[in-house]
Every structure is written in C-alpha cells, then in structure tokens.
C-alpha cells in the first residue's frame, strides 16, 4: 500500500484469495514471494536501501545486507532460494541488474548500466532473467554473468509477464489502456503474434491494466 495512510516507507499486506481481510506484514515495498512461498521480499526504498525477508506466518524477519550503499529499486527471489536479482545503483553510477548471494559477498552485475525495470521473469530452468534493457525492449540476462542479448520481436515498452513452461515462448505486455493485448514471442525466431486480450467487463474508472508476473 502506498499513500498517506501507509507512511513514508509504504506498507506490505497479504490478502487471501478467499476474500478474508488483508493482514499487515511490515513497512516497506513488497517485491513478491520468496522461492519457497514462506516469506515475502521487502525493500525499504531509501539510499542506501534495506532488504528484508518477512515471514508470512510465525518467525523472525531476516535482514539482507547489500554491501556498498546501494540504492535498490527492484528485487526478485531466484528459484534456487539462494540468490536475489536486484536493480540498483551505487553512488555516482547508473542503475543495473545485480545478482546477490544470500550467503554473503558482493553483488555481481549482469547487465550494462542504465538498465531499469520493475518486472521480470526467469526461465523455467532458472538460468536466464527476461527484463527491460536500456532501450526499453525485452532482453535476456544470464544469471551466471554471460553476455545479455535483446529478444528479436520485442518492441519498445514491452514488459515480460510469463515464460512458457517449455522455455520456447515469452508472453509480453505492451501496456495498453483499458484493455491489454498480450503477445507471444517465439524466442528462437522472434516471431510475434497476439496471444490473449484482457479487458474489464466495465471499463468505468479504469486508467490502465497492470499485470503481475508469477
């Protein structure tokens, strides 16, 4: 939650899908669940930033130390449960994507400077991260530090929302208004075709649709 009632650091809630009331977990900005779904990843968006793993049930929250006074704008737990992908910047530098080992150590850059995004999805085998590059098109970034590459067929403003289970296609959202046409891009060829159209039954009061990746 953001706004006056949430305070300067925002607030994190969890809401069951059965319609029961939301439960407040902590201050901060929520970045999604951990790999085991037992906690949520929370960032306090300040300089330098603080990152916490906050348990959904009983337990103590865990502080994740990020060396070097990094300002973090986005974070995602990787499927191995041992690392985080971060978008951050050090003083005097532009933002880029880093991989941080939860056991300690220095964040490892996997993208050029100037990379900004708040949504990304990882490949089914957990080796690649699809996210927006400096040109606002979708790129593939190797989580082991290999050379990044832009996806053929991606257009400026695309956001990745789903990687198919067979690893062959990426579903992207071009940020439509009131309705969203999702496109499927074949990674081997760059072929781009419409996949699904999402629109509300009643568009009154809608400004845009935001899709959240899983």
């Amino acid at each position: 939650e953001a706004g006056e009632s949430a305070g300067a650091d925002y607030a994190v809630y969890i809401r069951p899908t059965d319609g029961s009331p939301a439960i407040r977990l902590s201050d901060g900005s929520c970045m999604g669940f951990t790999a085991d779904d037992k906690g949520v990843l929370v960032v306090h968006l300040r300089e330098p930033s603080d990152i916490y793993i906050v348990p959904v049930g009983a337990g103590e929250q865990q502080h994740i130390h990020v060396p070097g006074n990094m300002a973090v704008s986005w974070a995602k737990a990787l499927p191995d449960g041992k690392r985080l992908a971060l978008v951050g910047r050090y003083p005097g530098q532009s933002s880029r994507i880093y991989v941080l080992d939860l056991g300690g150590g220095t964040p490892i850059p996997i993208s050029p400077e100037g990379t900004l995004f708040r949504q990304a999805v990882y490949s089914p085998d957990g080796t690649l991260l699809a996210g927006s590059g400096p040109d606002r098109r979708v790129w593939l970034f190797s989580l082991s530090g290999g050379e990044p590459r832009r996806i053929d067929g991606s257009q400026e403003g695309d956001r990745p929302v789903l990687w198919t289970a067979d690893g062959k296609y990426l579903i992207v959202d071009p940020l439509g208004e009131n309705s969203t046409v999702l496109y499927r891009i074949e990674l081997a060829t760059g072929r781009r075709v419409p996949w699904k159209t999402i629109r509300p039954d009643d568009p009154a009061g809608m400004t845009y649709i935001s899709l959240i990746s899983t």
Side-chain angles (χ1 to χ4, degrees), residues 144-166:
S144 60
E147 191 69 23
R149 68 176 180 88
R150 189 173 68 187
I151 295 176
D152 292 335
S154 173
Q155 299 177 2
E156 185 176 347
D158 281 347
R159 296 187 308 165
V161 294
L162 178 67
W163 206 313
T164 58
D166 59 12

Side-chain angles (χ1 to χ4, degrees), residues 120-172:
V121 292
Y122 42 72
S123 60
D125 63 5
T127 63
L128 297 171
L129 192 73
S132 298
D135 58 0
R136 298 185 64 234
R137 289 173 168 82
V138 180
W139 287 62
L140 299 182
F141 302 97
S142 170
L143 293 171
S144 60
E147 191 69 23
R149 68 176 180 88
R150 189 173 68 187
I151 295 176
D152 292 335
S154 173
Q155 299 177 2
E156 185 176 347
D158 281 347
R159 296 187 308 165
V161 294
L162 178 67
W163 206 313
T164 58
D166 59 12
K168 296 180 179 180
Y169 301 93
L170 195 67
I171 309 302
V172 300

Side-chain angles (χ1 to χ4, degrees), residues 19 25 36 53 65 108 123 127 137 147 172 177 207 209:
L25 296 180
D36 60 7
I53 295 176
H65 175 64
I108 300 172
S123 60
T127 63
R137 289 173 168 82
E147 191 69 23
V172 300
E177 292 187 358
T207 55
I209 296 174

Side-chain angles (χ1 to χ4, degrees), residues 1-8 10-11 13 24 27:
E1 180 181 356
E4 186 174 337
S5 62
Y10 307 139
Y13 290 80
R24 193 181 193 281
D27 294 335

Side-chain angles (χ1 to χ4, degrees), residues 34 87 120 137 157 178 201 204:
T34 54
V87 173
R137 289 173 168 82
N178 287 338
D201 292 334

